[in-house]
Amino acid sequence: MFDAEVFVNEQLKKIKAQMKDGKAIIACSGGVDSVVCAVLASRAVGDNLLAVFVDTGLMRKNEPDEVREMLKEMNVNFKIIDAADLFFEGLKGVTDPEKKRKSVGERFIRCFEKEAKEYGAKYLVQGTIAPDVIESGTGGKGLVKSHHNVGGLPKDMDLELVEPVIELYKEEVRQVARYLGIRVSERQPFPGPGLSVRCLGEVTPENIAIVREACHVVEDELQKASKAEKMELPWQYFAALLPTRSTGVMNDERMYGRTVVVRAVLTKDAITATPAQIPYDVLEKISSRITGTLGDKVTRVVYDVTTKPPATIEWE
Ligand code: XMP
């Protein structure tokens, strides 16, 4: 039986022993994995840890502000870097999902290396969890996707890795987050490459703005439905934007708009998953809100009912 208190005490000792007086840097995305690691490392070594939130321009609605508030609340020494231009530049013309991941991952690391040098960091703390390693093929199985906190690390990186939650599954990380009093303990996972992998085809600021709004609608409506006890909140729920256009009609005129796919899944460990059974009226509300707000661009909303396998949870 996993015991969060025992785990935390062990990790604090381990981190202190590994880092001694050295300085460490962490990429804090605001997700439960990286925040748990940031708080653990910060409690172990105080301001010898710098948490860096890179605003890639690929984050969800209001995310940078929420992360700022949360890190303040947890007394973590942090810095926010606005690097959206750098990431969009790297994604220009890229449509291949793996190339997107590599592009985002490499720029991420580049930003960190720069910060790490300036800060004088010797260690890189990472929120890698067990399924990341399994699915990235380093655990003896074939490559599913190169999750960027594993696959994108340059070989010549001169920072020593500290990965406090590498042996844990998501539910265990949440238990640790609850124990530490972290407000995002129940937050759904969000992929490292951000909205770039929810924007099929080319990633542009305009396309990201569409999928960001669509994701916000899905999150908002499902959270409302769950509060109203119409359904359990799924494990993960979001929207993806497809590159193909289909025929639509608006004000008696034919138009060719984009399609938004709604994805909501139930799973234990993200290795297998089943689609959530969303009440029909909630789906209709999501559809009418998305086409209502993005009607000049999105003319179709569909619900993905595929299990994992064969589909993955994300569309890329
Ligand atoms: P898939 O889509 O492979 O995703 O079924 C399984 C879980 O991992 C998340 N995911 C990622 N997380 N970097 C991450 O840190 C990534 O590149 C990445 N890709 C997918 C996904 O959201 C799901 O929870």
Side-chain angles (χ1 to χ4, degrees):
M1 183 71 178
F2 179 73
D3 185 325
E5 185 177 354
V6 171
F7 175 84
V8 167
N9 290 333
E10 269 174 18
Q11 284 306 318
L12 291 180
K13 270 191 219 140
K14 242 181 163 171
I15 298 169
K16 269 185 208 155
Q18 187 181 351
M19 290 194 208
K20 301 191 182 77
D21 290 329
K23 288 184 163 184
I25 193 165
I26 180 168
C28 194
S29 67
V32 61
D33 306 339
S34 65
V35 178
V36 162
C37 290
V39 172
L40 281 174
S42 158
R43 294 212 178 153
V45 300
D47 284 357
N48 267 351
L49 173 85
L50 176 67
V52 175
F53 173 80
V54 179
D55 185 353
T56 58
L58 305 166
M59 310 307 287
R60 285 168 293 184
K61 207 168 175 172
N62 305 327
E63 213 157 14
D65 289 340
E66 284 166 15
V67 173
R68 176 183 284 118
E69 283 311 303
M70 180 175 51
L71 292 176
K72 256 193 214 161
E73 189 177 290
M74 300 307 298
N75 286 319
V76 174
N77 178 29
F78 74 95
K79 176 171 181 180
I80 295 189
I81 299 168
D82 178 2
D85 292 348
L86 178 75
F87 285 87
F88 281 119
E89 186 58 38
L91 287 163
K92 229 179 227 170
V94 180
T95 53
D96 179 85
E98 280 300 296
K99 287 191 180 139
K100 283 184 191 173
R101 281 197 149 70
K102 293 276 183 256
S103 169
V104 175
E106 279 165 19
R107 275 163 184 76
F108 225 93
I109 294 299
R110 227 192 279 159
C111 283
F112 278 129
E113 280 190 317
K114 185 171 166 283
E115 285 307 317
K117 270 206 188 105
E118 280 176 26
Y119 184 62
K122 193 176 162 214
Y123 302 95
L124 178 66
V125 184
Q126 283 208 136
T128 314
I129 62 170
D132 296 340
V133 181
I134 295 166
E135 296 215 328
S136 288
T138 44
K141 302 212 177 140
L143 176 76
V144 179
K145 289 176 191 176
S146 57
H147 284 209
H148 89 235
N149 43 4
V150 179
L153 289 180
K155 301 243 172 336
D156 58 358
M157 197 186 67
D158 56 5
L159 295 173
E160 193 180 311
L161 276 180
V162 180
E163 298 184 300
V165 294
I166 196 162
E167 284 173 6
L168 303 192
Y169 280 81
K170 202 85 192 182
E171 182 44 39
E172 294 164 336
V173 183
R174 290 196 202 285
Q175 285 183 42
V176 175
R178 280 176 218 130
Y179 174 74
L180 292 170
I182 293 171
R183 68 158 117 149
V184 290
S185 61
E186 312 313 311
R187 197 182 203 198
Q188 60 163 328
F190 185 61
L195 295 173
S196 74
V197 292
R198 292 182 179 172
C199 182
L200 281 78
E202 195 181 357
V203 179
T204 61
E206 295 73 29
N207 289 341
I208 289 295
I210 299 175
V211 77
R212 177 179 291 127
E213 188 56 35
C215 277
H216 169 68
V217 170
V218 173
E219 290 192 15
D220 190 46
E221 287 303 327
L222 292 193
Q223 281 160 7
K224 276 199 256 175
S226 145
K227 265 202 192 119
E229 296 185 359
K230 285 179 156 191
M231 61 183 287
E232 291 251 335
L233 201 55
W235 191 86
Q236 197 170 9
Y237 44 103
F238 57 90
L241 179 69
L242 302 190
T244 44
R245 292 183 185 270
S246 71
T247 308
V249 58
M250 199 111 107
N251 302 328
D252 294 333
E253 279 201 38
R254 180 182 289 265
M255 59 179 292
Y256 298 97
R258 305 282 294 267
T259 298
V260 161
V261 182
V262 178
R263 181 87 162 133
V265 295
L266 309 178
T267 175
K268 259 184 102 146
D269 50 16
I271 292 179
T272 61
T274 52
Q277 302 206 356
I278 303 179
Y280 208 81
D281 62 317
V282 178
L283 281 175
E284 277 181 336
K285 184 76 199 296
I286 289 172
S287 168
S288 64
R289 247 182 96 179
I290 290 175
T291 51
T293 351
L294 299 163
D296 53 333
K297 299 172 191 104
V298 177
T299 44
R300 207 171 286 271
V301 176
V302 299
Y303 186 52
D304 180 353
V305 291
T306 329
T307 52
K308 173 181 181 178
T312 48
I313 295 174
E314 302 287 346
W315 268 59
E316 284 191 337

